[in-house]
Amino acid sequence: MTSPTVAGPNTAVRAGAGSPSRTGTGRRAPSRWLSRTAVNGTLLLSVLYTLFPLVWLVTAATKDSGGLLSGEAFSFKGFDLGHNLSQLAAYNDGVYFRWYLNSLLYAGGGAAVCALVSVAAGYAFDKYAFPGKEKLFGVVLLGVLVPTTALALPMYLLASKVGLVNTYWSVLIPVLVNPFGVYLSRVFSASYIPDEALEAARIDGAGELRTFWSIGLRMVMPGFVTVFLFQFTAIWNNFFLPLVMLSDQKLFPLSLGLYAWNSNTHAEPSYYPLVVTGSLLAVVPLVVAFVCLQQHWKAGLAAGSLK
């Protein structure tokens, strides 16, 4: 006698095994979509918030004083960028471009020397042992906590003692050292420069300076570029130190010169196009520096991933 086939409990479990997973997958899919939408929406808002002042600056630089004061800065109606640039170049015998060259000297020269000094100091703190090293490095870290504006008056008094006030050196010398750059360079040196490479150079007869210049500096080039960009941006936007140190208009950087023009806009509205157009041109070196030097960051990241 043949017994009827009865579905056992295992069969029921197997038959329904796929149902919870499909339900869970269906529930997870909308949640993932919502999270991605939230992240992308936040990034989009951040980008718009960042680019909004730049877009305003580009469109406002094409307006005359009447267009700026009438609130039509976001339209390209009455495009007058060429006239604004010619006025900017001709005003006061082209003093704006004198300020531009001053800013390039302060920011470019100061950032390059500061980056070299910071990398050399960070390399020394990382690779050499000497008495009081950690205590001295602690003093360097304390320097990071001191705001630069608090040092402006003491530096002015020191500069006046040695007769450097109202000279290029009064702005250049204080920016040649950056405590945060020294700290960052020590971190890069520990990550990018293996001790074995330095030992091999010493065995081949290279001196300490040759070892640093030919091997250490080349290996830590991403750190050099990082410190350079940080310091270049800080010096380019520096305002308070030149305000304290300089009184001759021919020595002004862009930040101080545009501030002086902007102070006259209430009494003389014709300064508005000069200030806005000058501010647009002042952004260009920062953009160019970041775009041209970002490849060193990418190369450094790739080297770190291989290690």
Side-chain angles (χ1 to χ4, degrees), residues 113-197:
V113 175
C114 176
L116 182 60
V117 171
S118 298
V119 168
Y123 173 87
F125 274 118
D126 177 50
K127 301 304 180 186
Y128 296 106
F130 50 88
K133 180 177 79 170
E134 296 303 328
K135 293 181 180 179
L136 182 59
F137 188 69
V139 174
V140 173
L141 293 181
L142 286 177
V144 178
L145 304 177
V146 180
T148 54
T149 53
L151 300 176
L153 184 58
M155 286 190 292
Y156 172 79
L157 295 176
L158 289 173
S160 64
K161 287 285 186 182
V162 295
L164 293 179
V165 173
N166 204 30
T167 63
Y168 286 109
W169 296 109
S170 62
V171 179
L172 269 174
I173 292 178
V175 301
L176 298 182
V177 178
N178 184 2
F180 179 73
V182 175
Y183 163 75
L184 197 62
S185 298
R186 183 177 184 179
V187 174
F188 272 100
S189 177
S191 303
Y192 284 85
I193 305 177
D195 295 335
E196 293 79 5

Side-chain angles (χ1 to χ4, degrees), residues 10 18 34 41 45 59 70 74 76 87 100 104-105 132 145 153 173 180-181 188 211 220-221 230-231 243 247 256 258:
N10 294 336
L34 289 175
L45 289 176
T59 56
S70 63
F74 279 106
F76 284 97
Q87 276 192 328
Y100 213 97
L104 289 175
L105 172 64
L145 304 177
L153 184 58
I173 292 178
F180 179 73
F188 272 100
T211 301
V220 81
M221 188 55 65
F230 281 158
Q231 193 69 354
L243 178 65
S247 58
L256 191 56
L258 292 174

Side-chain angles (χ1 to χ4, degrees), residues 174-261:
V175 301
L176 298 182
V177 178
N178 184 2
F180 179 73
V182 175
Y183 163 75
L184 197 62
S185 298
R186 183 177 184 179
V187 174
F188 272 100
S189 177
S191 303
Y192 284 85
I193 305 177
D195 295 335
E196 293 79 5
L198 303 181
E199 289 298 329
R202 295 186 183 110
I203 291 174
D204 289 340
E208 295 301 326
L209 288 178
R210 177 67 181 274
T211 301
F212 167 72
W213 185 261
S214 300
I215 297 178
L217 183 60
R218 296 177 186 273
M219 285 186 170
V220 81
M221 188 55 65
F224 179 90
V225 173
T226 302
V227 176
F228 175 84
L229 286 177
F230 281 158
Q231 193 69 354
F232 183 88
T233 305
I235 300 172
W236 189 269
N237 297 326
N238 194 7
F239 170 76
F240 193 66
L241 181 64
L243 178 65
V244 172
M245 294 291 188
L246 303 176
S247 58
D248 186 359
Q249 262 200 357
K250 294 181 179 180
L251 303 178
F252 282 3
L254 279 177
S255 57
L256 191 56
L258 292 174
Y259 169 79
W261 280 357

